[in-house]
Amino acid sequence: MKKEDKKRLRSEDWFNPGDVKQGFIHRSWLRNQGYPDDYFRGRPVIGICNTWSELTPCNGHLRTFAEYVKRGVLEAGGVPFEFPVTSMGETLMRPTAMLFRNLASMDTEESIRANPLDGVVLLTGCDKTTPSTVMGACSVDLPTIVVPGGPMLNGKYKGERIGSGTFVWTLKDRIKNEGFTQEDQIEAEICSSRSAGHCMTMGTASTMACMVESLGLTLPGAAAIPAVDSRKKALAQLSGRRIVEMVREDLRLSKILTRKAFENAIKLNAAVGGSTNFIIHLTAIANRIGVKLDLKDFDTLGSHIPLLVNLMPSGRFLMEDFFDAGGLPVVINQLKGHLHNDAITVNGKPIGENNQRAECYNKEVIASIEQPFQEKAGIAVLYGNLCKDGAVIKPSAATEKLMTHRGKAVVFETIEDYHARVDDPGLDIDENSIMVLKGVGPVGYPGMAEVGNMDLPEKILKKGVKDMVRISDGRMSGTAYGTVVLHVSPESSIGGILGLIQTGDHIVLDVPNRKLHLEVDDAELEKRKAAWTPPAPHTNRGYVSLYTATVQQAHLGADLDFLAGKSGDTVTRDAH
Ligand code: FES
């Protein structure tokens, strides 16, 4: 046993307890997998929490990664055990993967706490698999390190760089206006998914990978390494080595996830042009670890930060280009004047020191702080009678001239109503109208689906118009773009003013003044409210029933209310 191991490990309560019978049970059954006795004699036990699933295509390669983590753990004198947790494939799960983020976080939390683990490595990839596992791990608060699975290689179609997700949002327009055939579509499908890994735009998965690196939860440079790059495997191995040291140092999540770390993450998310989903997930993580974060913080801390990364959907390039240009370390170095450079990371060093030598290899992809792609990026948080608890918009993905706009509402009561009528030639709508979608919030959908970036009506697209103001209580894919107001809180299905809007009402969007206002007087709104009835519950049983009864609104992170905070790592009773 090394000197540092002398502090009694949590796992020893299972493997070397006072009770002879208990120790026998805990060791003996594990040994059916061929482990020698010395695995259970004071070596740090590391759980490799794997979100691998063939139904989560973005995480399909993570079984292989677990083997590299195991190598590292063993090299450092630890003992690795890989275990599965609920995985969520963004592209397949209905009604939306977000409905299951909190369920998966509970699975992660309880799996970690209930088992003889001293430290944890989280293998993540697709959008929700990063926040769900980090949220769960926060509620236990063991030493934890994240290995993000990495983006796919750049999408390439007939010489064109195509981004996963972002390309999909152009399909309707390409088919209507550019003669895009079915053969073209079939070819483009595989061209936009060329390798293992997650979406290679700065969509939510890449945003989440940057988020965990910004928070200090990965080894430096982890976020942008493509899934198939050999350096990602090396990173997994090094993370395996490091987590064993973190256990010896007792470097727990709560020591890394300070308010400073969250502020760094908000600023870096602005600089990379990250997804609006970042707000919801970071807020939920902060609530778990016990750091106070307010929706306004995202605006006050992030909206004066310049945009330094030229990636789709806001820009031109993709994650492979970002990695080749130097990745997030370059952004961290460029932004050092804005960051808490002394925030500690999983390697035990401050974030500033880790990244101080990062150099940019392509200024078309990563700009310098002196010459950014945009002076101000980040996320604008709006308030007004339409959203008393807030709504958000991503200015870098929006159309400048629509940022101040007054228009007539065209209301879709549900997503089905939208699909049924949006392309009706008789629909009374023009490019100055404001499309309003109700019933897609946390309770209403349920799960707050990524449908806020509604496709424009065909007759508008035919005019060559590419953007209109859209408002909803839903979310938007991180790969999407447009002048899209999201996360309206309180949502329409629980009695928010959004639910009272009628077609023909006028709405004022004023992003520079952070305002979203429905031009209907209070007396009329009261009248409509009195006539309003809440929609019937989706179901009275199972997880969905629990979810809709306890989910918090978007501005609070859309976690289940009883999951806030942590229960720690102690379990006093044994099974036998
Ligand atoms: Fe998994 Fe985009 S669908 S990351």
Side-chain angles (χ1 to χ4, degrees), residues 156-214:
K156 291 270 175 65
Y157 173 71
K158 295 185 179 174
E160 180 189 354
R161 197 185 254 106
I162 58 170
S164 36
T166 301
F167 180 79
V168 175
W169 314 124
T170 69
L171 259 186
K172 191 170 166 185
D173 190 25
R174 284 175 192 249
I175 292 165
K176 293 290 163 208
N177 299 326
E178 296 172 24
F180 206 65
T181 65
Q182 197 174 4
E183 288 74 42
D184 291 329
Q185 289 175 51
I186 291 167
E187 180 65 10
E189 279 172 14
I190 195 143
C191 290
S192 71
S193 301
R194 284 174 58 219
S195 75
H198 59 68
C199 291
M200 82 308 265
T201 46
M202 187 51 78
T204 303
S206 301
T207 299
M208 289 296 100
C210 290
M211 176 188 79
V212 284
E213 185 171 338
S214 307

Side-chain angles (χ1 to χ4, degrees), residues 56-59 88-91 125-127 152 164-165 197-201 203-206 477 479:
T56 307
C58 309
N59 298 23
M88 290 146 291
E90 195 66 30
T91 51
C126 198
D127 298 10
M152 291 188 265
S164 36
H198 59 68
C199 291
M200 82 308 265
T201 46
T204 303
S206 301
S477 164
T479 62

Side-chain angles (χ1 to χ4, degrees), residues 82 89 94 161 196 319 326 347 353 471 478:
E82 180 186 356
R94 291 179 174 177
R161 197 185 254 106
M319 285 297 281
N347 71 356
E353 184 183 331
I471 299 173

Side-chain angles (χ1 to χ4, degrees), residues 250-283:
D250 198 30
L251 184 53
R252 292 168 186 258
L253 276 171
S254 53
K255 294 183 183 167
I256 295 169
L257 291 178
T258 60
R259 168 84 191 184
K260 284 182 179 179
F262 284 92
E263 292 189 0
N264 284 346
I266 290 171
K267 291 173 180 175
L268 285 162
N269 186 62
V272 301
S275 156
T276 45
N277 287 319
F278 169 85
I279 303 170
I280 294 185
H281 299 318
L282 194 78
T283 302

